[in-house]
């Protein structure tokens, strides 16, 4: 493999471009603050390993899909210290950009930026005194599946711009696409929307809906019946 064997790890200080190649075997790639993963080729890629982080503060770790789709098996930013190990899903690509599983810890956040679309299979955190993992949507579309017993995060969901779209009802209050109901979901400002997409959540989720939504379409956009419990 161009990244070496699975025994070691790749340390990314700048830009790692998959360039249309899906590296094997599965290994650990650590992102330093300011580092990015991209795919400059129109050929879709799949990374079967784990994307991790360095123990340092900063949110500017980027996974950017523009030309070609990117699918990653696992992002694990869990740690033992209260670092800000948050990261950003960005780019303009609109199809098949997927993170199968994300593990965050101690107040870390998934940011969605750019005009493209990303899908999260599930997000899991470990609630601590330092805070809980959450989601902030600042552009494009983020699709949250979360219909898995491993989907379990405590932090808030905030939609400032763009759309958060559901593709599952969730299993229970502990396992759902909007996380546990402890901190709720907020749509705020102009240009943000929650699209429940015809799904009725299997649990009670506090919703705060403000602003005019995407293209003045309303802060809650539904194709189906919006049901509160």
């Amino acid at each position: 493999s161009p990244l070496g064997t699975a025994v070691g790890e790749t340390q990314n200080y700048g830009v790692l471009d998959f360039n249309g190649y899906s590296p094997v075997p599965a290994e650990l790639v650590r992102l330093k603050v300011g580092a990015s993963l991209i795919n400059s080729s129109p050929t879709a890629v799949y990374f079967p390993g784990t994307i991790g982080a360095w123990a340092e503060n900063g949110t500017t770790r980027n996974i950017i899909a523009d030309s070609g789709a990117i699918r990653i098996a696992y992002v694990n930013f869990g740690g033992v210290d209260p670092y800000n190990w948050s990261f950003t899903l960005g780019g303009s690509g609109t199809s098949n950009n997927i993170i199968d599983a994300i593990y965050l810890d101690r107040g870390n956040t998934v940011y969605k930026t750019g005009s493209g679309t990303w899908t999260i299979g599930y997000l899991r955190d470990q609630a601590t005194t330092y805070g809980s993992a959450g989601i902030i949507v600042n552009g494009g579309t983020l699709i949250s599946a979360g219909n898995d017993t491993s989907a379990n995060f405590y932090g808030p969901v905030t939609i400032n711009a763009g759309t958060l779209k559901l593709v599952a009802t969730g299993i229970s209050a502990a396992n759902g696409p909007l996380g546990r109901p402890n901190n709720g979901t907020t749509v705020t400002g102009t240009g943000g929307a929650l699209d429940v997409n015809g799904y009725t959540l299997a649990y009670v989720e506090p919703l705060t809906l403000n602003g005019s939504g995407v293209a003045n379409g309303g802060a809650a956009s539904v194709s189906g019946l919006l049901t509160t419990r």
Side-chain angles (χ1 to χ4, degrees), residues 27-173:
E27 71 166 279
L28 172 64
V29 173
R30 292 192 185 274
L31 300 183
K32 189 176 176 63
V33 167
S36 297
L37 296 178
I38 67 171
N39 177 23
S40 64
S41 167
T43 301
V45 299
Y46 173 64
F47 180 67
T50 298
I51 305 301
W54 284 84
E56 57 182 350
N57 286 308
T59 62
T60 52
R61 297 175 182 85
N62 307 296
I63 303 175
I64 301 172
D66 283 317
S67 301
I70 299 174
R71 182 169 185 171
I72 295 172
Y74 196 43
V75 172
N76 186 351
F77 282 9
V80 296
D81 294 309
Y83 289 103
N84 184 350
W85 289 8
S86 303
F87 74 103
T88 297
L89 298 173
S92 58
T94 57
S95 63
N96 299 316
N97 300 310
I98 302 168
I99 308 292
D100 291 332
I102 300 174
Y103 176 84
L104 296 180
D105 199 359
R106 300 181 181 254
N108 300 324
T109 300
V110 179
Y111 291 87
K112 171 65 182 73
T113 64
S115 60
T117 300
W118 278 92
T119 297
I120 296 176
Y122 67 81
L123 172 63
R124 184 176 181 85
D125 78 357
Q126 177 183 346
T128 73
T129 56
Y130 296 106
S132 306
I135 294 173
I136 296 178
V137 179
N138 289 326
T141 299
L142 181 65
I143 298 172
S144 181
N147 208 41
D148 190 291
T149 55
S150 296
N152 185 351
F153 68 98
Y154 290 75
V157 175
T158 304
I159 307 165
N160 295 317
T163 301
L164 178 64
K165 184 176 182 178
L166 307 187
V167 291
T169 62
I171 298 172
S172 67

Side-chain angles (χ1 to χ4, degrees), residues 209-226:
L209 304 177
N210 297 315
S212 57
V214 177
N216 294 316
S221 172
V222 301
S223 53
L225 178 65
L226 175 61

